[in-house]
Amino acid sequence: MPKPSQLTYYADERAGAIAGNLLAWYATNQRDLPWRRSRDPYRIWVSEVMLQQTRVETVMPYYERWMAQFPTPQALAEAPEEQVLKAWEGLGYYSRARNLQQAVQEVVATYDGKVPNDPAAIASLKGVGPYTAGAILSIAYNRPVAAVDGNVMRVFARLFAIADDIGRPATRRAIEALVESFIPEGHASAFNQALMDLGAMVCTPRSPKCLLCPVREQCQALETGRVGELPVKEKAKAPRPVDMVAAALWHDGRLLIARRPPEGLLAGLWGFPGRERPVDLPWERALHASIWEQYGVEIEVEAHLVDVKHVFSHLIWNLRCYTARLAPGQAIAESETVRWVRPQELAQYALPTAHQKIAAAVGMQAVNG
Ligand code: SF4
């Protein structure tokens, strides 16, 4: 096998047929998606960022709400970060939202609020990688640039029986070059979206619908009986499980919430106080120690409230939450990053999904209690 840095794949005589068949198929089979009803580059950009690691059905309501709240780059640029994170709440990978806002702020400051129609300018924006840049340039501006995500890599790996690991950057770059060489003149927008739709609806990871595929006649994997083997992708490391302990900490009918640091996992979101449980500490002692170290106060733990499991790409949180109160005579002052809130006010804050479940358990307890 060639070294990854030397990978080059070549289009052959099937190229014209593949492009023609794909475009004809797309004309009658394209998905009706809300962001496709416009060529507005800002709308396409937002949809592409939301769609990274997230299913189309999940994204749709978020996209509609986002566009109602931040209909233009200016509106997003001027919004408080907390409002942006709240609108993203539940979509995960929150750095996407923060990067998008920062990039849009640059578009407003530097490009008069117009998403640049220029590969170098777009690629320099925060959080905009080759895929997002390619999607905006091709879909909104019809420029012949590839937009290669996991779906497109799978389709091309099968069409050309490419057995290199698609997780490697060199394979991605080589497939990008190959896709780009296929884009028919004047049809970049439709061609790239046709590939996305083919990967999402026909050439799916498991059980691809080869009988219905518009490019089955040109598919090398089908011809050689290797559809099930391709694409090749080395398994990612399994996420590491960690125990997390937290408190629904009450005082005078209010709950303590704290804002997470501006960098790192779930940066800038609010949550119930707590931390990772050291392996050698029992749960409740770990909670006492955590609150003491963070706020210098004693608490009285009352009851086990709820257990929540949350899977990130690299971590699995096994989060156990207790209801607790400040011990008599103890106090925690409010600040920029620490608030005492009534349970019904929790909905105003952007909480990670695991902490939303704690908030729901607090609400249930209030109803039942
Ligand atoms: Fe994918 Fe099957 Fe079509 Fe080949 S024939 S591109 S494997 S759906």
Side-chain angles (χ1 to χ4, degrees):
M1 201 194 307
K3 285 199 186 116
S5 58
Q6 298 168 337
L7 295 179
T8 315
Y9 313 124
Y10 296 101
D12 53 24
E13 69 281 355
R14 296 168 301 160
I18 288 174
N21 291 349
L22 265 176
L23 287 177
W25 173 82
Y26 182 68
T28 49
N29 291 280
Q30 61 187 271
R31 291 176 292 176
D32 176 26
L33 302 171
W35 42 91
R36 286 193 174 163
R37 292 170 202 150
S38 142
R39 283 281 182 97
D40 177 349
Y42 167 67
R43 287 175 171 260
I44 288 156
W45 185 3
V46 170
S47 71
E48 290 299 342
V49 175
M50 286 186 171
L51 285 164
Q52 287 161 22
Q53 335 259 0
T54 312
R55 291 156 47 86
V56 165
E57 297 72 30
T58 308
V59 164
M60 280 203 225
Y62 279 92
Y63 173 82
E64 303 280 17
R65 284 197 298 269
W66 186 277
M67 282 306 157
Q69 226 177 328
F70 314 115
T72 60
Q74 286 78 3
L76 178 59
E78 288 163 12
E81 188 193 77
E82 227 170 300
Q83 194 186 341
V84 173
L85 291 176
K86 181 70 190 164
W88 203 269
E89 186 184 69
L91 266 182
Y93 300 97
Y94 291 84
S95 56
R96 292 182 294 171
R98 278 191 304 273
N99 288 343
L100 176 60
Q101 189 187 28
Q102 285 171 28
V104 163
Q105 283 165 344
E106 191 177 336
V107 164
V108 169
T110 313
Y111 304 104
D112 198 22
K114 295 189 180 61
V115 180
N117 176 4
D118 171 68
I122 280 213
S124 73
L125 296 170
K126 185 137 192 198
V128 176
Y131 170 76
T132 312
I136 298 169
L137 290 166
S138 62
I139 298 173
Y141 296 122
N142 207 21
R143 286 183 76 120
V145 182
V148 173
D149 65 354
N151 276 337
V152 175
M153 279 205 281
R154 180 173 61 255
V155 171
F156 264 68
R158 286 174 175 163
L159 268 177
F160 288 86
I162 293 167
D164 299 301
D165 179 359
I166 60 165
R168 290 183 177 176
T171 313
R172 166 188 285 274
R173 283 195 296 274
I175 291 182
E176 272 166 5
L178 183 63
V179 170
E180 223 151 84
S181 73
F182 268 68
I183 297 176
E185 213 182 317
H187 296 284
S189 178
F191 181 77
N192 279 351
Q193 292 182 88
L195 275 178
M196 292 171 190
D197 280 11
L198 190 79
M201 298 194 292
V202 179
C203 195
T204 47
R206 278 172 292 279
S207 314
K209 302 174 186 70
C210 299
L211 279 176
L212 302 175
C213 179
V215 287
R216 64 187 174 281
E217 304 265 309
Q218 292 83 38
C219 179
Q220 270 185 34
L222 186 65
E223 191 183 320
T224 55
R226 297 167 67 199
V227 173
E229 294 163 29
L230 297 170
V232 173
K233 185 163 188 203
E234 240 172 63
K235 272 218 163 80
K237 264 210 265 164
R240 177 174 66 90
V242 293
D243 288 342
M244 303 289 294
V245 65
L249 181 59
W250 291 93
H251 185 62
D252 281 347
R254 291 170 192 263
L255 285 158
L256 186 76
I257 56 169
R259 195 162 189 205
R260 299 175 66 89
E263 300 291 333
L265 183 68
L266 306 170
L269 270 69
W270 291 83
F272 295 92
R275 68 157 189 207
E276 186 172 336
R277 177 178 79 103
V279 277
D280 52 345
L281 265 193
W283 289 92
E284 291 191 27
R285 280 188 48 205
L287 182 58
H288 280 282
S290 160
I291 302 293
W292 175 258
E293 280 162 26
Q294 288 176 70
Y295 304 104
V297 299
E298 295 285 359
I299 59 168
E300 293 172 351
V301 174
E302 293 186 332
H304 172 217
L305 175 65
V306 67
D307 285 342
V308 177
K309 180 174 176 172
H310 189 81
V311 181
F312 298 93
S313 55
H314 61 302
L315 279 180
I316 300 175
W317 272 5
N318 294 311
L319 172 61
R320 174 162 292 184
C321 183
Y322 294 85
T323 49
R325 296 194 172 278
L326 283 184
Q330 303 288 299
I332 298 175
E334 286 201 328
S335 70
E336 273 291 294
T337 55
V338 175
R339 302 251 169 93
W340 288 101
V341 299
R342 297 189 190 285
Q344 58 271 29
E345 292 168 347
L346 282 170
Q348 298 164 17
Y349 292 84
L351 304 176
T353 303
H355 287 239
Q356 285 176 47
K357 290 180 181 164
I358 296 177
V362 169
M364 289 296 292
Q365 200 184 39
V367 170
N368 297 330

